[in-house]
Amino acid sequence: MARTIDPAAHAVRRETFLDAAQRLIQTKGYEQMSLQDVIDDAGTSKGAFYHYFDSKAALLEGVVDRMVDGATGQVAPVLNAPNLSATDKFRAVFAGIGSFKTERRDLLVGLMQTWLSDDNAIVREKFRRAVVAKMLPVYTDLIRQGVVEGSLTVTSPEHAARVMLSLLLGANEHASSLYVANHAGEIPFEVVEGALSAYPEAMERILGAPPGSLRWWDDATILHDWFD
């Protein structure tokens, strides 16, 4: 007789491993975290772990996927707000994702060094594809709304959204590199601010938006929170 699987129980047990990995990444860092650390923290066996994940890289991918789902879920109410313009929604989405990251700062800092390493090139590529799959329809709809409202001028909302996502993913990776360099004392805050300010400016030009309408922050406070 075939063994039946309880989907709810399966999901809970999988989350237990993700929770353990997240705690350990925050306290030890991904490189220092071993699979045995995760198994011990979760209070289970190696056999149970391999039932859900086939490697440490797959576990990291699960942590990152959960973060992507959480960030997109947090901004979902904004996307359905009928009284907001497209540019207001863009700014609200950027602010919401920024807040989500700030609330999980320890986890993100724990991921940064390993995230930038050559060993995780495949994981980064999977992350990029996951973000594109989830956010391409979202940004396409927002750009289409902006075109109808007259605040954005593009010929193809879907193609523009794909270019915009490439820019955002590049900005995310660049911000990680800047964070590492800044905290190593290699670059001052002014260099960070100038480098990251270039991205919303480029995005406004790509989408034909008014200057300053798609800034990711209203002042430098959020940058100071991360980099100072």
Side-chain angles (χ1 to χ4, degrees):
M1 184 175 181
R3 184 171 67 92
T4 60
I5 297 176
D6 181 345
H10 184 276
V12 169
R13 286 193 291 269
R14 186 175 186 276
E15 288 294 306
T16 298
F17 286 113
L18 294 176
D19 289 339
Q22 181 167 325
R23 284 192 295 271
L24 289 163
I25 289 169
Q26 292 175 194
T27 57
K28 300 184 66 171
Y30 176 76
E31 294 289 1
Q32 290 72 35
M33 177 188 77
S34 69
L35 287 184
Q36 192 59 52
D37 289 331
V38 176
I39 291 165
D40 292 343
D41 188 282
T44 184
S45 66
K46 185 174 291 188
F49 172 85
Y50 283 111
H51 183 69
Y52 299 95
F53 303 96
D54 61 12
S55 65
K56 184 179 174 182
L59 181 63
L60 173 60
E61 184 178 349
V63 172
V64 171
D65 283 346
R66 188 167 67 168
M67 289 180 61
V68 173
D69 289 340
T72 54
Q74 183 159 312
V75 301
V78 172
L79 303 174
N80 299 319
N83 59 327
L84 291 180
S85 68
T87 52
D88 286 339
K89 288 182 180 180
F90 268 123
R91 290 168 67 90
V93 167
F94 297 150
I97 292 175
S99 296
F100 181 87
K101 290 181 177 179
T102 299
E103 291 166 4
R104 292 152 182 82
R105 177 173 175 161
D106 290 344
L107 173 61
L108 291 173
V109 170
L111 284 170
M112 277 184 192
Q113 289 283 6
T114 188
W115 188 251
L116 296 171
S117 71
D118 291 341
D119 291 339
N120 279 307
I122 293 176
V123 177
R124 286 199 304 274
E125 182 57 29
K126 288 182 178 180
F127 170 77
R128 291 189 188 101
R129 292 181 182 182
V131 171
V132 170
K134 292 178 185 296
M135 296 305 294
L136 182 60
V138 171
Y139 286 136
T140 298
D141 287 345
L142 289 184
I143 293 171
R144 187 175 290 117
Q145 178 185 339
V147 171
V148 171
E149 294 170 349
S151 59
L152 306 178
T153 55
V154 299
T155 55
S156 171
E158 183 175 0
H159 293 161
R162 191 173 291 277
V163 172
M164 179 182 165
L165 273 167
S166 296
L167 193 64
L168 288 169
L169 288 166
N172 185 67
E173 204 159 297
H174 192 188
S176 297
S177 299
L178 291 169
Y179 180 91
V180 172
N182 175 254
H183 281 257
E186 297 171 0
I187 57 172
F189 175 80
E190 290 73 22
V191 170
V192 173
E193 186 174 22
L196 294 182
S197 293
Y199 287 95
E201 181 181 341
M203 190 184 307
E204 288 164 357
R205 295 187 180 188
I206 289 169
L207 298 181
S213 62
L214 297 180
R215 281 186 60 84
W216 298 348
W217 55 85
D218 292 323
D219 55 50
T221 301
I222 189 168
L223 287 183
H224 281 291
D225 288 343
W226 273 89
F227 288 90
D228 279 356

